[in-house]
Amino acid sequence: MVLEAILVDLGLAQGPAAAIGGAIRFLVAFLVLVTIGRVIVLPLLDRAFDRRNLEPHAQRPLMKVAWFGVLFVAVAIAFGFGGFGNFLTSLATIAAAAALAIGIAMQSVISNFVAGVFIFTEKPFKIGDWIEWQEDDYSGIVEDISLRVTRVRTFDNELITVPNSDLTDNAVKNPVAKDKLRQKFVFGIGYDDDIRAATDIIVEEAENHAEILDDPAPTVRLTELNDSDVGLQSRFWIADPARADFVRIRGEYIQRVKERFDREGIDIPYPYRTLEGGLSVESLDAIRPSGEPVE
């Protein structure tokens, strides 16, 4: 009965000649509408996105959605031209039977799709950005963003495909979102070393590095009193941060400070432990019950 009702709605319960004529009208109307969409509608949308300076990673999924929209409209209008009745009514009849099963099966897909929409609208990161997520357990360069997943290339050259919901449900760090990035590093010096002299060296080496900014100026704070060293935290800024530059600049700066400490006689101590107590040795007679003399 349901199948018969659907066939009646679609106009397929008529004679063969009428059905063939309807099919031809449907096909012609569909091809004309798809051609109009491909030649006129999609290029207009593409130019509109370009005028709004929409980034390529956002344009691609939106153009796909627009293309599916063109196909849907073409099918709906062509149904009317073919004399098959109201496409939306027929579609609703079919969709009502499958809505529950599809909804359950596509929960994760819908969740990732909605998350992808939020990524496109809020723009927490873009293609080419270096991001870290899940408490910095994962990091890499964003290579592609779609409505379902984001693809990230790790610094070991591994490609991670991340569901978008993972990036919206967790904190994501984007160190390169701004034009400057502050870095911190703790230098440990000995308790007998001159704190002021070590501080001057740390600041001077930052000021002497061409890629460390003078404004904001480098600073040093005494932040730690450890078991074997005094911790001096250096804070400095770099411009146009990228991970490769950040790692290189940081390494060069730390090396220069270490070499300067060595020349100035400032120690970078390693952890050590002092053991206190006594050591006693019992009579060997307790070990040698036979009482044999020890040679």
Side-chain angles (χ1 to χ4, degrees):
M1 296 297 293
V2 175
L3 179 60
E4 181 180 353
I6 293 174
L7 292 175
V8 170
D9 288 339
L10 297 178
L12 298 177
Q14 304 172 2
I20 293 174
I24 293 174
R25 290 193 300 273
F26 168 82
L27 182 61
V28 171
F30 176 77
L31 292 176
V32 169
L33 293 169
V34 168
T35 302
I36 293 173
R38 183 187 295 273
V39 174
I40 298 176
V41 177
L42 294 181
L44 286 175
L45 281 176
D46 192 33
R47 286 196 290 270
F49 291 154
D50 289 338
R51 284 196 298 269
R52 293 178 62 88
N53 295 322
L54 196 65
E55 296 178 359
H57 75 269
Q59 289 189 26
R60 285 195 295 270
L62 291 177
M63 291 300 292
K64 289 181 181 178
V65 172
W67 172 241
F68 285 123
V70 168
L71 293 177
F72 180 83
V73 171
V75 170
I77 297 177
F79 253 63
F81 277 97
F84 296 148
N86 191 317
F87 173 73
L88 296 179
T89 302
S90 303
L91 184 63
T93 304
I94 299 172
L100 180 61
I102 293 175
I104 295 175
M106 297 187 65
Q107 282 183 351
S108 62
V109 174
I110 294 173
S111 174
N112 289 321
F113 178 85
V114 173
V117 172
F118 280 116
I119 291 175
F120 286 126
T121 55
E122 297 179 359
K123 298 180 180 179
F125 51 82
K126 61 183 183 297
I127 291 178
D129 281 358
W130 153 34
I131 64 171
E132 300 176 352
W133 72 98
Q134 289 191 4
E135 298 181 355
D136 301 344
D137 289 338
Y138 298 96
S139 63
I141 305 297
V142 178
E143 286 200 346
D144 182 58
I145 305 172
S146 68
L147 284 173
R148 191 180 68 85
V149 298
T150 295
R151 293 176 176 83
V152 180
R153 179 74 60 179
T154 70
F155 301 112
D156 294 327
N157 203 33
E158 300 169 335
L159 184 64
I160 302 179
T161 300
V162 189
N164 285 333
S165 58
D166 285 359
L167 298 177
T168 55
D169 294 343
N170 295 281
V172 176
K173 183 191 297 184
N174 186 349
V176 298
K178 303 299 181 181
D179 59 351
K180 290 185 292 189
L181 177 67
R182 189 178 77 168
Q183 291 298 304
K184 296 183 289 186
F185 186 82
V186 177
F187 293 95
I189 66 172
Y191 273 89
D192 295 331
D193 292 317
D194 189 332
I195 294 177
R196 186 176 298 278
T199 299
D200 291 341
I201 291 173
I202 294 172
V203 171
E204 288 173 7
E205 291 304 321
E207 292 174 342
N208 293 336
H209 198 293
E211 295 178 274
I212 293 179
L213 297 178
D214 295 327
D215 184 20
T219 60
V220 177
R221 297 288 184 272
L222 195 158
T223 57
E224 300 176 12
L225 294 175
N226 300 314
D227 293 339
S228 57
D229 63 68
V230 175
L232 300 177
Q233 185 183 82
S234 172
R235 304 174 183 180
F236 58 95
W237 294 78
I238 61 175
D240 298 324
R243 188 178 188 276
D245 292 336
F246 148 65
V247 172
R248 177 180 56 80
I249 295 171
R250 180 187 175 100
E252 291 174 354
Y253 170 60
I254 295 172
Q255 180 177 347
R256 293 181 185 184
V257 172
K258 171 63 169 62
E259 292 172 350
R260 182 79 179 277
F261 276 2
D262 292 342
R263 292 197 301 269
E264 301 291 338
I266 294 177
D267 185 30
I268 299 181
Y270 51 84
Y272 62 88
R273 295 288 183 270
T274 301
L275 301 178
E276 298 181 353
L279 180 65
S280 61
V281 179
E282 296 182 357
S283 172
L284 292 178
D285 291 339
I287 302 175
R288 294 175 175 268
S290 60
E292 297 177 358
V294 180
E295 296 181 357

